Amino acid sequence: MSGGCNHDCASCSQKCGKESLQAECNAFSKVKNVYAVVSGKGGVGKSLVTSLLAVNMNRKGYKTAILDADITGPSIPKAFGLTERATGSERGIDPAVTKQGVKVMSVNLLLENDTDPVVWRGPVIAGTVKQFWTDVVWGDVDYMFVDMPPGTGDVPLTVFQSLPIKGIIIVTSPQDLVSMIVSKAVKMANLMDIPVLALVENYSYFECPDCKNRHYIYGESKAEEIVEEYGIPNLARIPIHKPLAEAEDKGEIESYVGDWLDGVTSAIEK
């Protein structure tokens, strides 16, 4: 390895071979499968998809966990109605546990107030996410979902290099700029040799409760074109659905009723 290596093999021109940068999980933890939920921009429902996937796998009887890597915009605790602070011991930090048994670690569980801003520089944020993997006592976990911040910066790079990510789920919305956003996420996944498992289109349509007709509020979907262009094997659509939004806002996401992500859940399970 040449001197001055920044450990970013994806952007390195040296031919020194790929060095594994994966971090060791906490000594009292055994996490079998890790999947990252990503997006090229904010506000598309990434945390919602992360929550629903965790709930789905938990309902199937698997031990499930969420690592909230969106340090500056954490929303997972609110979706599950978690208000208590995280605790710890000499073994490490203990994650919070939802009513139905999903383990959660988020920076909001460490702050004195939920509304306190996290004004940290990129390397500090990335280091915190890595510590959520190395210092949290996850115990036995069958499926962990990582709720990523938007974009392709320090935190996604840290997660992809430090955690044993088996695949990613890309979340987007039905707008014209979607193709460019998805392209960035796919290309980063390819650089890191991580397969893209599914594309989830949120806010896909609104179904009238009376006539059952579907109305495409944000324009006609381009999801089929995108999955075909990039060879993404699974596609799911989540509609604009008031009961789902209310469940998330009230911290009752575990009570949601819907089959929109069943195909993605089955793909992960297989």
Side-chain angles (χ1 to χ4, degrees), residues 26-46:
N26 177 272
F28 301 96
S29 305
K30 183 179 180 181
V31 182
K32 298 175 184 176
N33 302 282
V34 185
Y35 291 89
V37 182
V38 308
S39 68
K41 66 184 292 295
V44 296
K46 180 171 39 57

Side-chain angles (χ1 to χ4, degrees), residues 133-149:
W133 174 252
T134 60
D135 294 1
V136 173
V137 184
W138 292 105
D140 290 331
V141 173
D142 296 314
Y143 291 95
M144 173 182 284
F145 296 95
V146 183
D147 184 19
M148 303 277 272

Side-chain angles (χ1 to χ4, degrees), residues 37 45-54 169 171 200 202 238 261:
V37 182
K46 180 171 39 57
S47 296
L48 171 65
V49 171
T50 303
S51 300
L52 295 181
L53 289 173
I169 296 92
V171 184
V200 178
N202 195 24
I238 300 177
L261 294 181

Side-chain angles (χ1 to χ4, degrees), residues 40-231:
K41 66 184 292 295
V44 296
K46 180 171 39 57
S47 296
L48 171 65
V49 171
T50 303
S51 300
L52 295 181
L53 289 173
V55 171
N56 275 4
M57 298 308 288
N58 188 59
R59 287 177 178 177
K60 285 176 171 283
Y62 295 108
K63 297 175 182 177
T64 311
I66 297 176
L67 190 160
D68 189 355
D70 195 351
I71 301 298
T72 58
S75 54
I76 293 296
K78 179 174 175 56
F80 286 90
L82 296 172
T83 56
E84 70 272 19
R85 302 301 95 181
T87 59
S89 65
E90 67 277 359
R91 304 199 314 169
I93 305 170
D94 296 319
V97 182
T98 70
K99 295 176 182 177
Q100 296 183 16
V102 178
K103 296 177 181 178
V104 174
M105 177 47 63
S106 171
V107 74
N108 259 15
L109 301 176
L110 302 173
L111 299 176
E112 185 175 350
N113 300 299
D114 291 345
T115 55
D116 289 346
V118 176
V119 188
W120 299 342
R121 295 191 182 276
V124 178
I125 293 175
T128 301
V129 172
K130 188 174 180 180
Q131 282 186 285
F132 283 174
W133 174 252
T134 60
D135 294 1
V136 173
V137 184
W138 292 105
D140 290 331
V141 173
D142 296 314
Y143 291 95
M144 173 182 284
F145 296 95
V146 183
D147 184 19
M148 303 277 272
T152 55
D154 285 341
V155 172
L157 182 60
T158 296
V159 170
F160 288 157
Q161 289 184 328
S162 301
L163 275 63
I165 304 294
K166 284 195 170 183
I168 72 170
I169 296 92
I170 299 176
V171 184
T172 187
S173 58
Q175 295 168 306
D176 286 340
L177 77 166
V178 161
S179 181
M180 178 189 69
I181 293 168
V182 173
S183 176
K184 289 180 181 291
V186 170
K187 288 179 179 179
M188 183 171 190
N190 291 339
L191 282 172
M192 307 306 295
D193 292 326
I194 299 174
V196 179
L197 183 64
L199 176 70
V200 178
E201 184 181 70
N202 195 24
Y203 313 120
S204 184
Y205 58 87
F206 170 74
E207 185 175 288
C208 176
D210 298 323
C211 67
K212 302 301 179 182
N213 287 334
R214 289 186 177 182
H215 304 275
Y216 298 91
I217 308 299
Y218 294 101
E220 290 291 338
S221 171
K222 296 178 176 61
E224 286 90 352
E225 301 172 16
I226 294 171
V227 297
E228 183 176 354
E229 178 180 357
Y230 295 107

